[in-house]
Amino acid sequence: GAALMRVPPPGHMGTAVAAHGVSQEPGFTYQEAMTKPQFYLLWVAVFGNACSGMAILSTAKTLCTEVLATMAPAMVTTGFTANYVAALSGANATGRLCWAMGSDGIGRKRTYALFGLGIPLLAAIPTVVIPMAAEGNAAMAVYLFTGGTMVLVANYGGLFSVLPAYLSDTFGQRNVGAIHGRILTAWSGAALVGPTTLTMMRSRSEMQAIQQLSDGISDHQFEAAFGANKDMLAQLAEARTVTISRLMDLHPLGMVDPTPHL
C-alpha cells in the first residue's frame, strides 16, 4: 500500500476542500507550522485527550477489581471485568470510525470542540459515581462509570482518526506527514504522564486511607496483626503487608471501607 502512495503535485487540491472552506495555499512546511499557535494548541489537545484515554485503558482491570468490585461485588465479577475491558477496546475502534465519518459532515474544528466535552465528563465521573454508590445505588453507579469511561475512550480513538485530516485542513496537504509526526510526540508524552499520574494519585490516596485506618486501632492490635509497630507503616504498606482490607478486619463492623473512594 505504501508503495502506491504519491506526494500530490504542486497546486493540487482535493474535491472536498471547498466544502469545508479550507485554504487553498500550497501548504506549510513543518518548520513553518511549528511557528504557528495552531500547532501547539493541537499538541495540547492531543496530549490532554490521550492522557485521559490511556489512563483509563491502562488501569481498566484495576479500576474494576479494586473500585467497582467493592461497590457492587455481586455485579462486578471476573466475567464483568473481562467484558468491560473488551468493551473499551470496542469503544476505541468505534470512536475512530464514527468520529472520522462524522467530522466530514460537521467539520474538524467542531469535532475537536466536542472532544473538549470530555473534560467535564472526566471530572463528573468520580463526583457523581462515588456519592451514588454511598447512597446504596451501586448498580447505577457502575453503569454510569462504565458508560462514561467508554465515551472518553471513544473520544480518544476519534482524536487520532480525525487528526491527519484536521492537520491537512489547517496546514495544507503537502507536508502533513511531517507535521503529524511531530504532533504525535504529544501521544508519547501522554503514554508516560497519564497512567503514571493516575497511579501516583491512587497510591497517595491509598496511603492516606491506610494511615487513617491505622490511627483507629491501638498499637497493641497493630503489632499483634503485623509484627511491627506503627513507625514501620510506610514500609509495611509498600510491601503490601499492611493493606486496607487487612486493616478493615481489625475495625468493628460498620466501618466504611474507603476503597471505592480512592
Side-chain angles (χ1 to χ4, degrees):
L4 300 176
M5 298 179 67
R6 297 290 185 270
V7 175
H12 173 77
M13 301 300 296
T15 56
V17 166
H20 293 289
V22 181
S23 172
Q24 298 189 9
E25 294 296 324
F28 294 94
T29 65
Y30 75 85
Q31 295 96 332
E32 293 170 337
M34 292 179 68
T35 65
K36 306 298 180 183
Q38 290 89 339
F39 177 91
Y40 297 98
L41 290 171
L42 280 170
W43 194 99
V44 171
V46 171
F47 179 81
N49 191 296
C51 275
S52 62
M54 298 198 72
I56 293 169
L57 290 171
S58 65
T59 60
K61 183 179 179 181
T62 302
L63 290 172
C64 267
T65 56
E66 295 187 8
V67 179
L68 298 184
T70 307
M71 291 182 184
M75 181 180 178
V76 183
T77 61
T78 303
F80 179 94
T81 301
N83 290 334
Y84 172 62
V85 174
L88 288 178
S89 299
N92 188 6
T94 302
R96 290 174 186 265
L97 177 64
C98 294
W99 279 117
M101 293 189 298
S103 70
D104 289 337
I106 66 175
R108 324 298 179 197
K109 187 175 182 178
R110 290 189 182 93
T111 302
Y112 264 64
L114 290 175
F115 291 155
L117 296 177
I119 297 173
L121 176 60
L122 182 63
I125 289 176
T127 306
V128 174
V129 167
I130 292 175
M132 184 175 292
E135 292 172 1
N137 199 352
M140 182 57 67
V142 171
Y143 290 136
L144 287 176
F145 178 88
T146 54
T149 52
M150 287 176 65
V151 170
L152 289 172
V153 171
N155 287 351
Y156 165 76
L159 178 96
F160 291 104
S161 65
V162 178
L163 181 60
Y166 196 5
L167 291 174
S168 178
D169 292 351
T170 305
F171 299 111
Q173 297 179 10
R174 188 170 185 82
N175 299 298
V176 70
I179 299 170
H180 185 240
R182 284 157 178 80
I183 288 284
L184 286 185
T185 58
W187 189 17
S188 302
L192 296 174
V193 174
T196 302
T197 301
L198 183 60
T199 301
M200 289 176 59
M201 291 173 63
R202 179 168 174 78
S203 296
R204 182 180 301 175
S205 180
E206 182 180 18
M207 190 62 211
Q208 290 173 349
I210 288 174
Q211 182 68 59
Q212 291 174 357
L213 289 173
S214 64
D215 290 341
I217 61 177
S218 67
D219 294 343
H220 176 72
Q221 282 181 295
F222 189 91
E223 291 182 16
F226 304 111
N229 57 41
K230 291 183 180 180
D231 293 337
M232 300 290 292
L233 181 62
Q235 293 87 333
L236 293 171
E238 184 176 355
R240 308 302 295 175
T241 303
V242 175
T243 61
I244 291 176
S245 61
R246 293 194 64 186
L247 287 170
M248 287 295 297
D249 292 337
L250 301 177
H251 280 268
L253 293 176
M255 184 69 180
V256 178
D257 188 346
T259 303
H261 306 282
L262 298 180

